[in-house]
Amino acid sequence: MSSLHMTGKTDTGMVRDHNEDCFLIVPESGIAILADGMGGHLAGEVASAMAIDRVTHYLLNAFAIAHAAKPAAGNGASFESAALVEAIKAANTAIHDASMSRPEQSGMGTTIVAAAFHDNTLTVAHVGDSRLYRYRNGVLSQVTEDHSMVQELLRRGLMTPEEARTSLNRNLVTRALGIDPMVEVDVREQQYEDGDIYLLCSDGLNDVLTDEEIAAVLAQYRDNMESAAQQFIADVNARGGPDNVSIVLIHTD
């Protein structure tokens, strides 16, 4: 397997008074996770932190147990694919239970995007509108598909991409962790190549920068992920920093 160089940054932005984003990277295990919380009076912070904590612990335990001999997941799915889905579902249950039992956290939720790199394969699972992009050979492509009202309208041909970028409803998600007792998790796998760059981000990045601008930063700093992450945050804040912004970058070498 190629070596993985990971870095992450998060920033409150210029408008919000606290940060409800959360991320975690475990390069030695090939794990990167990012969550964007929502809810009243700090509840979003709780939800995103719970999601990161539960998913990380589930994956690390599952991968450790299966290290010697990976059990089959069934239905043609890889072990990693099944593990990510089950980890996110377990986090959903924990957040929903906390929301129902603690009045101050009622209605809290979070998006999540989680990536596992293994055997030259990327497995990514997500709920909500936090994204994973791939930058390969100068081309940026979005790997995940937002679970949002705007994405649904785009899919139906009822809105153009230009209208989507400025829509007042662009932050309305159709799925999130913690809102319902059960959640549907999207998961997909693809082979990665040496020199690929993968970007996990909250919508605080892609709501402000276009895909072309994101690609330009990655092209400029393709050999320095730390500088790329700092540049993303600087660019967002230079345009008013309307939301928390979080970035995780993974360079395969």
Side-chain angles (χ1 to χ4, degrees):
M1 184 172 79
S2 301
S3 61
L4 302 171
H5 303 276
M6 297 188 180
T7 191
K9 296 281 184 188
T10 187
D11 191 83
T12 303
M14 308 299 290
V15 175
R16 303 294 179 90
D17 60 5
H18 63 285
N19 194 342
E20 295 184 326
D21 289 358
C22 191
F23 75 88
L24 185 139
I25 55 176
V26 190
E28 62 273 19
S29 297
I31 295 171
I33 312 169
L34 185 147
D36 180 355
M38 61 194 80
H41 190 61
L42 308 184
E45 289 183 15
V46 175
S48 60
M50 283 183 68
I52 296 292
D53 181 70
R54 296 303 176 100
V55 171
T56 302
H57 280 87
Y58 188 106
L59 293 179
L60 291 178
N61 289 335
F63 290 174
I65 292 171
H67 181 70
K70 293 179 182 177
N75 300 321
S78 70
F79 167 75
E80 288 79 8
S81 177
L84 259 69
V85 171
E86 290 306 312
I88 291 174
K89 287 183 175 181
N92 178 74
T93 298
I95 296 167
H96 183 262
D97 288 351
S99 175
M100 297 297 289
S101 62
R102 303 169 190 166
E104 71 277 11
Q105 295 170 0
S106 177
M108 70 177 177
T110 184
T111 69
I112 191 166
V113 55
F117 293 82
H118 57 96
D119 306 320
N120 284 87
T121 300
L122 162 68
T123 301
V124 56
H126 83 290
V127 175
D129 63 354
S130 291
R131 295 179 176 180
L132 184 141
Y133 288 94
R134 182 189 73 195
Y135 183 75
R136 175 184 290 173
N137 298 326
V139 178
L140 184 75
S141 56
Q142 186 179 332
V143 178
T144 56
E145 184 175 279
D146 296 350
H147 302 139
S148 68
M149 187 69 69
V150 163
Q151 181 60 43
E152 187 62 31
L153 293 173
L154 280 168
R155 188 184 300 113
R156 296 181 184 183
L158 300 175
M159 179 178 284
T160 67
E162 292 74 21
E163 290 170 335
R165 282 200 58 79
T166 58
S167 171
L168 296 177
N169 296 323
R170 66 184 180 275
N171 301 122
L172 293 179
V173 295
T174 54
R175 284 188 227 171
L177 297 193
I179 305 303
D180 296 309
M182 304 291 290
V183 69
E184 182 181 356
V185 182
D186 282 2
V187 62
R188 63 188 63 188
E189 294 190 330
Q190 60 178 237
Q191 297 296 302
Y192 66 84
E193 300 176 1
D194 287 351
D196 283 351
I197 297 174
Y198 290 90
L199 163 67
L200 288 73
C201 65
S202 61
D203 63 357
L205 178 70
N206 55 266
D207 274 355
V208 176
L209 302 185
T210 66
D211 285 3
E212 291 76 15
E213 290 168 329
I214 291 171
V217 171
L218 294 177
Q220 182 178 359
Y221 297 103
R222 63 169 297 108
D223 296 319
N224 190 330
M225 295 296 94
E226 184 81 10
S227 293
Q230 291 173 346
Q231 188 64 54
F232 279 135
I233 289 174
D235 287 349
V236 169
N237 285 340
R239 298 188 189 181
D243 196 1
N244 308 148
V245 56
S246 295
I247 296 121
V248 170
L249 289 164
I250 303 106
H251 191 194
T252 64
D253 184 6

